[in-house]
Structures are given as structure tokens and as C-alpha cells.
Amino acid sequence: MKPNQMRTLGVILSAVLLMLTVACGSSGSKKQEPAGESTPASTTETKTEEGDAVSEPKIVLGFAQVGAESGWRTANTKSIQDSAKEAGIELKFSDAQQKQENQIKAIRSFIQQKVDVIAFSPVVESGWDTVLKEAKDAGIPVILTDRSVDTADTSLYQSFIGSDFVEEGRSAGKWLVDTFKDATEQVNIVELEGTTGSAPANDRKAGFNEIIVQNPNLKVIASQTGDFTRAKGKEVMQSFLKAHKDIDVLYAHNDDMALGAIQAIEAAGLVPGKDIIIISVDGVHDGFVAASEGKINFIVECNPLLGPQLMQAVRDIYEGKEVPKRIVTKEGVFTSEDAKRELPNRQY
Ligand code: GYE
């Protein structure tokens, strides 16, 4: 039999089996439950030792992404899509456009579709208990990626894979304390915060503040959200520049806001990286370019390539293996000099 005839036969056999399963009213094991939605697209064709083609059910992962607000997010989405493909996992992907209500809707729809595993990067920290309980009651395991949730009941998720944002804030603060260790006058800092209520905004602020108190000259004179976007970063920096004539340092919770702010600083006739020292977090390509040009003085890396670790955890959970409750991503820090050297090696 030719391979395509074989495939057709496989599909027909699957359909017959499916009808039988439905007719018998079998609810069976977890893998049989979503049978009503099984299509040839959700099976992987493998060959037995004799060379016969057999269809295996594919793991179905529902992923509710935050949005497409930054270069970091674009790299993160690509990593998840590429690794799902590589791992042979069927990905149902939803983009919440930075809105919690959209993420909740997406998670509810994944529950209805009876996906095998749900993963998401919560746009804000609080307000997840109800929908997570719905997933738990439906027997669908949940993995948090990138950002965590604020809940007293940690049984609502299996694992959290992502960076330590408090540590990132501390790294930014340490570099600043060191850079201004000989300052004799007040150093005026403005802060562009990430999305209000999000874990990286809360934690990067907290970690930074925890460290800069070591030097009483370091003072945050203004702090406002730029929602992790370039456009907002530019807009808020413009208003900072209007309100304060003596800004020494900008601390931006991500590269995109720093890049927007750089446009505002240049438009005001100032030199980014010299007249105003700039620190940001992420280390995406455009941030690295700005750092290698001396416009950003210090970048704390936050690795967006979480896809491979996520797919591994999805598979492990599906197969009933134990996964660590917390998986921390490894990352570094870069000065302008480091950025110049490292730029050709960056993957995103
Ligand atoms: O730093 C920012 C993105 O959650 C770590 O979200 C992520 C942050 C990242 O929009 O650029």
C-alpha cells in the first residue's frame, strides 16, 4: 500500500474507532475524553518497527499569551510556537492584548475544548483563583510561564517557569549604587514602570528600591507606568522631561520603554547614555544595539526563550511525572562594552 493510501486508511480507522467510542458512551481515561474533538490534525503519525504507520494522540496545549507589547514578548511567542512544533505538541495559541479579561476567556475556552494542559503568562498578578479553580475541577493541569500569580492556593498550578524579577531589579540597583558610589549630590532617578499590577513591574521596582537605599543620594523623583511599550515609554519620558529639568538617571523596566524614552531624550536635545544614564531590563536585539551605541548604559538580561523548558514540563506533566514547582531561568547582565561584544551572538 502506498503511504498516502495508508494515511487515508489510518484516518478512516480513527474515525470508526471514534464513532465506536462515542457510541459506547465511554468516558475512559484522560486521553480518551477529548475524543469528540479528535481530528487527524491532532495525531502524530509514527511507524512501528515493521514500518506500519500508527496514529498517536498529540498532546494539546492551550497557551494564553499576554499580548505583543514588546520585543521580549515577540521572542517569547516565537520560542513557544517553534518549540511546540519541534516537540510535536499541538498548540492552541491565544493573544490577550494585555487584558486580563481576554486571558480569562481564553482559559475558559481551553477548558471547554478539553485541552490536555493549559499554560499562560498572567498579565497581572491578582484575580486568578476562580478560573484556575475551574481548570483544576476539570482536571486540566496549569503551568505558569514568565509571570506568576498571587494566590494563597499554590495547588492551583503545577509549576512556574520564569525569571526572578526581584533579582533583576536588584542587579539594576547594584550597578547604579556602584556607578554613583562617589556622588556627593543628589542623583535624580526617573522610573518607567511596566504594566501596573504585573509581576515584573512589581518585582523590578521592589528589588531596585531594596538596593538603592544603600546610598541616600540616589532618589527616585518620578515613577509612572509605560505599560512595557515603546510608544508609552516615549510619551511618559516626554512628560518627565517637561516636569523635571535635572534628570540624571532613567530606570526602565524593559528595553522597549527605554527605546521610546531615548527618542524623547534625543528630541529634547539631550544625549542618552551621557546626559541621562539609562538602565533597562530584557536584553532584546534593539536594546543591545542601543547599548552597543552607548545609549543604554546597563542592561539586565531577562531570557524570553522559555519554549523548550515549557514543552518539557508539558510532556512530563502529561506523562504523570513530577515537575519542580519553580523553574528559574538563567540570565546575565551587560554593560555597553559587553553589549558591543555580545551583539553578534544574540539569538533574539
Ligand atoms: O520584560 C517585557 C514584557 O513578563 C518578563 O513583559 C516579561 C516582561 C518583559 O512585555 O518586555
Side-chain angles (χ1 to χ4, degrees):
M1 204 180 284
K2 289 192 183 129
N4 56 349
Q5 288 174 315
M6 190 90 90
R7 214 168 294 131
T8 315
L9 185 62
V11 170
I12 293 169
L13 279 176
S14 308
V16 170
L17 268 176
L18 183 71
M19 278 157 62
L20 281 176
T21 314
V22 173
C24 295
S26 158
S27 60
S29 72
K30 171 124 200 10
K31 283 180 198 171
Q32 286 171 332
E33 269 172 38
E37 286 160 19
S38 180
T39 62
S42 62
T43 58
T44 327
E45 204 172 77
T46 52
K47 298 243 163 123
T48 62
E49 270 171 34
E50 292 77 39
D52 300 330
V54 287
S55 286
E56 283 178 1
K58 251 191 184 181
I59 303 174
V60 181
L61 168 67
F63 187 88
Q65 181 59 292
V66 170
E69 73 284 4
S70 64
W72 191 99
R73 190 66 53 199
T74 308
N76 179 248
T77 294
K78 187 169 182 309
S79 169
I80 286 157
Q81 289 171 335
D82 290 352
S83 343
K85 209 179 263 169
E86 216 159 282
I89 289 173
E90 184 185 337
L91 180 67
K92 291 184 185 293
F93 184 89
S94 144
D95 174 338
Q97 299 182 333
Q98 295 237 70
K99 291 203 179 73
Q100 181 173 33
E101 69 216 63
N102 290 346
Q103 276 194 314
I104 292 176
K105 264 190 222 148
I107 294 169
R108 291 209 164 113
S109 137
F110 293 148
I111 295 171
Q112 257 178 3
Q113 294 175 63
K114 298 192 168 103
V115 300
D116 296 307
V117 180
I118 292 173
F120 78 114
S121 171
V123 59
V124 290
E125 284 191 279
S126 56
W128 297 103
D129 281 39
T130 307
V131 72
L132 289 181
K133 203 158 173 307
E134 287 167 23
K136 191 178 174 188
D137 291 346
I140 302 176
V142 172
I143 303 175
L144 306 175
T145 77
D146 160 32
R147 301 180 182 179
S148 186
V149 299
D150 179 8
T151 178
D153 182 0
T154 54
S155 76
L156 293 176
Y157 62 87
Q158 304 293 310
S159 182
F160 165 38
I161 306 170
S163 309
D164 183 337
F165 301 134
V166 177
E167 204 44 53
E168 290 172 352
R170 288 188 190 123
S171 299
K174 279 179 197 156
W175 183 82
L176 198 64
V177 166
D178 190 49
T179 302
F180 285 92
K181 60 179 181 301
D182 299 325
T184 50
E185 288 172 17
Q186 182 168 306
V187 176
N188 292 327
I189 306 164
V190 294
E191 180 181 22
L192 279 170
E193 297 174 15
T195 302
T196 306
S198 70
N202 292 342
D203 294 354
R204 286 173 186 167
K205 187 181 188 73
F208 183 75
N209 286 342
E210 179 193 308
I211 300 294
I212 63 164
V213 290
Q214 291 171 11
N215 181 346
N217 279 322
L218 299 177
K219 195 148 192 287
V220 178
I221 56 165
S223 188
Q224 209 177 303
T225 181
D227 215 9
F228 281 131
T229 68
R230 258 181 226 211
K232 266 291 195 72
K234 181 177 178 184
E235 192 185 304
V236 176
M237 191 68 205
Q238 271 165 352
S239 72
F240 282 163
L241 287 163
K242 245 186 231 151
H244 307 276
K245 292 285 155 254
D246 46 0
I247 299 170
D248 300 304
V249 175
L250 163 66
Y251 170 42
H253 289 188
N254 81 342
D255 290 343
D256 280 84
M257 292 190 295
L259 292 163
I262 286 172
Q263 292 173 20
I265 293 168
E266 287 175 336
L270 298 169
V271 182
K274 293 211 165 63
D275 294 329
I276 297 180
I277 298 295
I278 303 180
I279 307 170
S280 71
V281 187
D282 272 358
V284 293
H285 179 265
D286 292 358
F288 255 70
V289 171
S292 68
E293 292 168 354
K295 295 181 179 182
I296 295 180
N297 305 78
F298 192 67
I299 296 185
V300 180
E301 185 182 35
C302 180
N303 188 354
L305 307 181
L306 304 178
Q309 278 170 303
L310 172 62
M311 297 314 147
Q312 187 58 53
V314 167
R315 192 167 286 284
D316 287 349
I317 287 172
Y318 183 80
E319 287 170 2
K321 294 185 192 148
E322 278 280 319
V323 291
K325 196 81 191 179
R326 177 76 174 100
I327 301 172
V328 183
T329 324
K330 284 210 166 53
E331 37 219 17
V333 294
F334 300 87
T335 61
S336 303
E337 281 310 307
D338 303 329
K340 219 180 280 174
R341 211 177 34 244
E342 276 296 314
L343 185 56
N345 307 324
R346 300 294 288 175
Q347 285 182 54
Y348 53 89

